[in-house]
Amino acid sequence: MLSKDKLLNEYEVKIAKMQLNDIPKLHELSLSVRWPHRDADWAELLKLGEGFVIHDLIGRLVSSMMWFSYDENFASVGMGISSPRLQALGAGRWLAEHVQNQIGNRNVLLVATRDSLPLCLSLDFKVIQNVYHHNGYVKHLPSTSRCSEEIQVLDHDEIKQLDNAAMGFSRDEIISQLLANSQGRLIRHNGEITGFALCRKFGRGYVIGPIIAKSQEQAIELVSPILNNLKDEFVRIDTYLDSGVFKDFIKSTGLNLHETATKMARGNLPIPKSDIHTIGLASQALG
Ligand SMILES: CC(C)(COP(=O)(O)OP(=O)(O)OC[C@H]1O[C@@H](n2cnc3c(N)ncnc32)[C@H](O)[C@@H]1OP(=O)(O)O)[C@@H](O)C(=O)NCCC(=O)NCCS
């Protein structure tokens, strides 16, 4: 049985399940590590996953961590934050133990920041690949072709199937929620959807993701019309791509590399279909 009380330095703290009424304090916590999440972004995450928080005895929220169930075999972990004044005292590890207790035997994926890499390595996560966080104000509008079309409600089931193929597991509830909050584009070939991209409000502006496509060229066709509607807006795209035409394209519109993170996994890796790729992540927490 994991303990619910602990001493962090001289601070006596308690762990509790994350609740909707924690959101204002979670917002303050994420601002303290310069993350841009708004109350609405935390609310969306709480609809999609579960988490734990650590409070001190006068109710200040000093740490958080969440997990997201994809299906019975896979889950992700994210939103691990400790207040800067209370880092490196064991809060992150304590939260990770409680989260792991909930995840059970599922294989776990996460995206580690530089700060969390030592903790994740010590918890037996293995490095998979880089994740490149690009952001900036959209300054130079791309030319758009007419290849893509707006996503309609009738397309949602096929979009989820395509996402499953790209991820190697089903995360239907997450995609349903994202579809409800997003604008999106798709590409059809011989009547079949072969790629899609979603865009929703996030942080200082918008995030474009997931971007699921057969090629970088197709990803450009999907994302161009979205960026065309976002002139002078702040936009974020997280991608696995080290280089290539899609990376050149997003940089040319004004989205520069902000930070590099590390995708990690514990347990088995999912097996995506080989001809369909996750070019952009929904978010670092959701994959
Ligand atoms: C990552 C983070 C959540 C860890 O929380 P924490 O409460 O400091 O974690 P712990 O005290 O349990 O430390 C775990 C290990 O990480 C190390 N660590 C903690 N903060 C670190 C940092 N900023 N840089 C490098 N290592 C760090 C600790 O020394 C410890 O190692 P040890 O157990 O071998 O001594 C915290 O550093 C943080 O909020 N960072 C900013 C936000 C962030 O990047 N979150 C990660 C999201 S994936």
Side-chain angles (χ1 to χ4, degrees), residues 133-148:
H133 167 178
H134 285 255
N135 66 24
Y137 289 94
V138 179
K139 286 292 171 206
H140 308 287
L141 293 184
S143 57
T144 53
S145 69
R146 291 168 193 274
C147 284
S148 73

Side-chain angles (χ1 to χ4, degrees), residues 10 65 69 240 246 251:
E10 75 273 27
M65 195 172 286
S69 173
Y240 294 123
F246 183 75
K251 281 189 218 154

Side-chain angles (χ1 to χ4, degrees), residues 33 35 80-82 86-93 111-113 115-116 118-119:
V33 294
W35 286 9
I81 306 174
S82 286
L86 292 175
Q87 287 181 8
L89 296 173
R93 189 176 296 282
V111 176
T113 60
D115 283 1
S116 61
L119 175 61

Side-chain angles (χ1 to χ4, degrees), residues 83-154:
S83 163
R85 71 198 159 88
L86 292 175
Q87 287 181 8
L89 296 173
R93 189 176 296 282
W94 193 35
L95 283 165
E97 284 164 6
H98 279 266
V99 162
Q100 184 51 46
N101 209 27
Q102 302 281 303
I103 290 178
N105 290 330
R106 289 179 180 84
N107 305 293
V108 187
L109 304 170
L110 58 77
V111 176
T113 60
R114 207 170 16 185
D115 283 1
S116 61
L117 199 61
L119 175 61
C120 299
L121 287 168
S122 77
L123 294 170
D124 219 21
F125 282 87
K126 304 280 182 276
V127 171
I128 308 300
Q129 65 191 128
N130 284 338
V131 175
Y132 301 97
H133 167 178
H134 285 255
N135 66 24
Y137 289 94
V138 179
K139 286 292 171 206
H140 308 287
L141 293 184
S143 57
T144 53
S145 69
R146 291 168 193 274
C147 284
S148 73
E149 56 189 271
E150 214 166 294
I151 295 176
Q152 309 294 333
V153 174
L154 272 175

